[in-house]
Amino acid sequence: MKFAASPRSSLGVEWELAVVDPSTGAIVPRAWELLEAIDDKRFDKEFLTGMIELITGVHTTTDAAIDELRGMRDKACAAADRLGLALLGTGTHPTSKWREQSQGDDPRYERVVRKAGEWGRRLVIFGVHNHVGVEDRDKVIPLMRTVLDQLPLILALSASSPYWQGLDTGFASHRTMLFQQLPTGGLPPMLVDWGEYERTLDDMLRAGVIDDIGEVRWDVRPSPALGTVEVRVADGAPSIDDLAAVTALIHCLMEEASRALDAGQPQRHLPSWLVRENKWRAARDGLDATVIVDEEGTLQAVRDALGEAIERLAPVAEELGSARSLAATARVLERGGSAAQQRAAYARGGHDAVLAEVLEAMRA
């Protein structure tokens, strides 16, 4: 399998948003109308008729990617205002019912529903996907394993989906629990090298598990056509600050890991059971999670691990043009993350307060 040439630690970001009625906050099936009003190829349709995706160009710094997305956000919000619409960026919609949504007119989405049935139709979910360039395909699998080791930090920082169809799910990221129900969703196999990845994909194609490699929707996956590792585990970002925080964290972690590989540092990764447990803990408890950091069972609060990561990654961020965006990580950590903010809003005024808060966050 060919792996495209890609500049090391180049960056592209995809940001999924719900199209909603600003008076009720409910999802409305008007994505095509909004896309026509925006009239910009960087904006695209998505799985639902009430959903759009913002796709950046290729950047060399985190801050430049976030600046582009801020401009795209402003353009989309202005077009939405003209149409009497609004945009919302949480990992799940707090109140809209999945049975009332319709899927986009695309063979890829039709296959999801045909194969996964109601589990596919339940995917009224929104995420942030980060593509980080890798210059050598032999680095791809070790970089994926490093991201999986750090996955609870990424997921906890981004967790923004505590509510589902009007109910508190008990999870900070209910989106995570929904998406991993797809047979090719969730955690990837703990691959050893590129050769094993090729064999795995070949076996899946021959067995009819997938019709093309794009149907492998792992939390972290190679994107051979782009020459990137794509990190897909993050919940939707309610605001530019949330978007900057998770993007900077992923970008800096990937560059740090790439430097370690170049320096020949020993690679020791967490076993699959531990990665899976940490993912579940981060999905349930968000920034309040305690994760397992080694096979001896050592525990650490996610807040402490993130604080250490922010301090450790500061020099990388300076060199990578991520300092401004990484500072957002500290702000999200200090205020408690979107899941906690939504629950605090609900305590003040129910779902009306939640929807008002996340609609306002989109414009902040």
Side-chain angles (χ1 to χ4, degrees):
M1 185 186 299
K2 292 183 179 179
F3 186 78
S6 183
R8 170 192 172 133
S9 292
S10 53
L11 177 68
V13 186
E14 302 165 358
W15 187 16
E16 297 172 344
L17 301 174
V19 180
V20 303
D21 180 332
S23 63
T24 65
I27 298 174
V28 290
R30 297 176 62 185
W32 270 115
E33 185 181 351
L34 179 57
L35 289 171
E36 287 180 357
I38 295 170
D39 191 24
D40 187 325
K41 291 183 179 179
R42 298 174 299 168
F43 298 76
D44 203 358
K45 63 182 180 179
E46 248 298 337
F47 184 68
L48 302 173
T49 57
M51 179 180 185
I52 65 171
E53 184 175 40
L54 283 58
I55 307 169
T56 71
V58 179
H59 291 275
T60 57
T61 72
T62 316
D63 293 345
I66 297 303
D67 287 343
E68 182 184 9
L69 283 162
R70 183 180 290 105
M72 293 172 72
R73 185 274 316 267
D74 293 345
K75 186 173 187 177
C77 285
D81 286 343
R82 294 194 298 271
L83 295 173
L85 298 170
L87 295 169
L88 182 149
T90 52
T92 56
H93 190 282
T95 58
S96 284
K97 304 296 191 290
W98 65 267
R99 291 185 184 276
E100 298 173 359
Q101 311 309 315
S102 57
Q103 277 68 51
D105 183 16
D106 188 299
R108 294 175 300 161
Y109 309 146
E110 292 170 3
R111 286 199 297 270
V112 170
V113 175
R114 187 171 65 249
K115 287 185 173 183
E118 288 205 350
W119 278 115
R121 290 189 60 229
R122 286 173 185 264
L123 297 181
V124 185
I125 58 176
F126 310 88
V128 173
H129 303 162
N130 286 271
H131 285 268
V132 181
V134 182
E135 76 279 16
D136 179 354
R137 77 176 192 180
D138 288 339
K139 280 181 153 183
V140 169
I141 302 306
L143 289 173
M144 283 179 58
R145 292 296 299 270
T146 297
V147 172
L148 291 172
D149 292 342
Q150 303 296 325
L151 185 143
L153 305 190
I154 298 166
L155 179 54
L157 183 70
S158 69
S160 65
S161 51
Y163 293 106
W164 173 250
Q165 302 195 108
L167 298 175
D168 190 324
T169 65
F171 281 78
S173 175
H174 187 60
R175 169 187 171 272
T176 295
M177 310 311 293
L178 289 167
F179 195 66
Q180 67 186 14
Q181 302 306 318
L182 292 183
T184 59
L187 293 172
M190 297 296 147
L191 302 168
V192 175
D193 54 27
W194 184 262
E196 187 181 12
Y197 167 69
E198 289 185 320
R199 291 189 296 274
T200 299
L201 267 288
D202 185 58
D203 291 344
M204 293 174 78
L205 286 162
R206 283 190 292 104
V209 176
I210 56 174
D211 295 316
D212 64 68
I213 67 171
E215 293 182 6
V216 172
R217 297 180 173 92
W218 297 333
D219 294 332
V220 186
R221 69 178 183 181
S223 185
L226 298 177
T228 65
V229 167
E230 183 185 5
V231 183
R232 302 165 49 84
V233 74
D235 263 9
S239 71
I240 290 291
D241 225 33
D242 293 292
L243 182 66
V246 72
T247 299
L249 179 64
I250 291 168
H251 202 192
C252 291
L253 285 171
M254 287 278 286
E255 172 61 18
E256 179 187 53
S258 191
R259 294 181 184 188
L261 288 169
D262 290 345
Q265 294 179 9
Q267 298 292 301
R268 186 183 177 195
H269 299 293
L270 299 176
S272 60
W273 71 265
L274 208 161
V275 172
R276 187 171 301 278
E277 173 67 14
N278 280 344
K279 176 186 174 181
W280 190 85
R281 290 176 177 222
R284 185 188 63 187
D285 297 330
L287 289 174
D288 293 327
T290 298
V291 294
I292 308 167
V293 299
D294 56 39
E295 293 178 71
E296 286 69 47
T298 304
L299 300 177
Q300 185 177 32
V302 160
R303 289 178 180 276
D304 293 341
L306 270 169
E308 290 176 5
I310 293 168
E311 183 176 353
R312 187 185 75 246
L313 293 170
V316 176
E318 287 291 342
E319 296 179 31
L320 202 57
S322 302
R324 178 160 42 92
S325 297
L326 190 65
T329 306
R331 289 194 295 273
V332 173
L333 186 60
E334 181 178 359
R335 70 173 185 249
S338 178
Q341 288 180 298
Q342 289 179 55
R343 284 175 169 143
Y346 184 85
R348 293 194 304 271
H351 282 303
D352 287 345
V354 175
L355 288 164
E357 176 152 314
V358 294
L359 287 170
E360 182 180 350
M362 178 53 58
R363 298 174 180 271

